[in-house]
Amino acid sequence: MADEAFILRDATEADLPAIVAIYNATIPGRMVTADLEPVTVDSRRAWFAAHQQPSRPLWVLSDSTCTVRAWLSFDTFYPRAAYDGTAMIAIYVDPACRRAGHGRRLLQSALDRAPSLGLHTLLGYIFGHNEPSLRLFSAYGFQRWAHLPRVAVLDGVERDLVIVGRRVAP
């Protein structure tokens, strides 16, 4: 399907089941999230509500049938006022739609729109063994700002966390 058939928009509560399904699909691969068990729609309602403020939106990329294929969230980096201009972004893509450019489209949109959201710095928290995500963020000018060795344990395997960052406004 051509890229033009996809629509980037703010998520609605009706999108929450699809958002959760895409998120849960990443858990077994142990590449993207530190959650070890699937989450529920109910458990994500407060998270969804926190993304209803203008500076921390939750976006979905949907196809011509309005099916959510990918999503991006802007999350609070640290809950102190001095850090309001910094956000952590998370990108999740439906497994059936990976390698179709959806992650690139979402990341570019985040970079383009971050200044209008009052953001000057974007961060990504990526497992050190998640080379595809590290390459994606690197291709968009993110640099490795921190390396936290062996801070996560996934199925008995200690994993590193890499924090990548990029300034998006002066």
Side-chain angles (χ1 to χ4, degrees):
M1 188 173 291
D3 190 47
E4 297 79 35
F6 290 89
I7 299 164
L8 179 63
R9 59 178 174 77
D10 290 331
T12 66
E13 194 162 351
D15 297 319
L16 194 52
I19 290 166
V20 167
I22 291 169
Y23 182 82
N24 283 339
T26 69
I27 294 172
R30 303 297 195 244
M31 291 280 288
V32 181
T33 180
D35 274 318
L36 302 175
E37 299 294 330
V39 300
T40 64
V41 170
D42 282 341
S43 74
R44 297 300 277 188
R45 290 194 192 283
W47 170 84
F48 179 84
H51 287 87
Q52 301 310 298
Q53 58 181 311
S55 65
R56 298 294 185 269
L58 172 62
W59 296 336
V60 295
L61 189 64
S62 59
D63 65 16
S64 60
T65 67
C66 297
T67 302
V68 175
R69 298 300 183 184
W71 59 269
L72 178 143
S73 64
F74 290 85
D75 296 297
T76 296
F77 160 66
Y78 196 74
R80 301 284 192 277
Y83 297 109
D84 285 350
T86 299
M88 191 273 291
I89 56 173
I91 298 172
Y92 290 85
V93 179
D94 182 322
C97 299
R98 291 190 185 139
R99 302 199 186 280
H102 300 322
R104 288 188 302 274
R105 182 170 180 189
L106 286 167
L107 187 51
Q108 184 63 60
S109 295
L111 290 168
D112 292 344
R113 293 170 59 183
S116 70
L117 298 172
L119 299 171
H120 55 70
T121 304
L122 295 179
L123 303 172
Y125 294 12
I126 304 171
F127 284 133
H129 65 288
N130 186 345
E131 286 297 326
S133 290
L134 289 169
R135 281 193 305 272
L136 171 65
F137 278 73
S138 178
Y140 283 82
F142 285 78
Q143 297 175 333
R144 291 181 186 221
W145 285 1
H147 179 203
L148 307 173
R150 301 180 355 222
V151 295
V153 179
L154 303 171
D155 299 329
V157 179
E158 293 178 324
R159 297 296 189 173
D160 298 353
L161 180 67
V162 175
I163 299 175
V164 297
R166 178 174 165 183
R167 295 281 298 183
V168 293

